[in-house]
Amino acid sequence: MSDPFKIAVVGVGLVGRRHVDAIQSLQNVSLTAVVDQTPEGETYAAKIGAPYFSDLSQMLQTVSPNGVILATPTPLHIEQGLTCVAYGCPLLVEKPIAVDAASALKLVHAAEVSDVPLLVGHHRRHNPLIAAAKQAIDANKIGEIRGIQGSCWFYKPDGYFDVAPWRKKKGAGPISVNLVHDIDLMRYLAGEIIQVHAYAQPSLRGFDNEDVAAAVMTFQNGAIATISVSDSIVSPWSWELTSGEYPIYPTTQESSYLIGGSHGSISIPDLRLWSHEEGQRDWWTPISATSLMTAASDPLVNQIAHFVKVARKEASPLVSGWEGLKTLQVIEAIQKSCTSGVSVTIAEPTSMQSEIALAPKISDISQKILQK
């Protein structure tokens, strides 16, 4: 048996603590350190008996972990990610990978040229429900995808915003905070999105951000998707309330995604596969559903187990830095379309040559960081 894989968690808010719980549930994986700049973080580290650091570089020098999970606020991801790359330490960055795609490109490019594994925490891809849907789609069970409908509707109570006033600010609305998950799954299941046209309405509660938005998206394969998101709609139709993924949310028997193809359709996450009898594709013949079966497991635990394999060069990343960047590009396009009122075309990240040229050389990053 190999030595335990040592993981340090940077940022131990709600998400960071879920990562700690997931690490502690895995065999041959250990929590080697907690990095957090808050008194609450230091208290939490003492409570669970983990070495505590307030500085990322100091931790990397002292502990030399096999991997780092960045569960810090998004504006910190790039600087902290580049620090991990400079030390040659594999990293898993919580979603979204960065505040904007141009910044994300700097980290993705640096990790790539330095051959440092970089994963992005779109953990829903690691859910067995999504794995089963992906397998059915790839096996041509529904034929060529033509249309997608997605709902991301729920009601966040006033207290959710009162305890963290930044959630009321521009840029912290449900497009960036919630829809990013759903967009990533649509890309994963249906392919690349090349154009969007979106709309948003101001918050009814008087916040600086939107509380409802909708987008029409065109895929490279010709499919068209419609999706809407709101944190001010009382509804059973969201991933949180339909997947049973996280116990703090009550579960319903509804679905949040419908994916339609030329030979059938699938609803997710209930995994009902709809089709006519063989050779009888017409709306006058009966249509029936078959429920796909899959075992349940915690996607966060699955994600960390996968992270270990990728860091050890035993597997390719399911959600690479490039994947996180492409999903962020779609979110940016939706936000831009909401503001401008026009359709936005999404460029290939590899075509962003000017941004790549401006990306810092990893040797310069290393020298700057290691001289601190």
Side-chain angles (χ1 to χ4, degrees), residues 185-206:
L185 285 188
M186 288 192 173
R187 287 189 51 253
Y188 181 56
L189 296 173
E192 295 303 333
I193 298 166
I194 60 174
Q195 190 175 63
V196 304
H197 195 111
Y199 304 87
Q201 291 293 335
S203 166
L204 285 177
R205 300 184 229 208

Side-chain angles (χ1 to χ4, degrees), residues 6 18 34 46 54 142 146 164 196 231 253 259 280 284 312 354:
K6 300 182 298 182
R18 289 186 68 195
V34 164
S54 60
I142 66 172
R146 301 300 295 148
V196 304
D231 57 14
Q253 301 302 310
I259 302 180
Q280 299 293 320
W284 287 294
R312 287 176 168 164
S354 59

Side-chain angles (χ1 to χ4, degrees), residues 4-10 23 29-35 56 59-60 63-70 80 84-85 87-93 116-119 304 307-312:
F5 188 89
K6 300 182 298 182
I7 298 179
V9 176
V10 184
I23 290 168
V29 178
S30 65
L31 177 69
T32 193
V34 164
V35 180
L56 175 59
M59 183 277 294
L60 290 165
V63 178
S64 298
N66 301 119
V68 166
I69 296 176
L70 296 181
Q80 293 176 337
C84 292
V85 170
Y87 281 90
C89 184
L91 65 155
L92 168 62
V93 183
V116 174
L118 166 63
L119 287 74
I304 290 177
F307 178 38
V308 172
K309 290 182 179 181
V310 173
R312 287 176 168 164

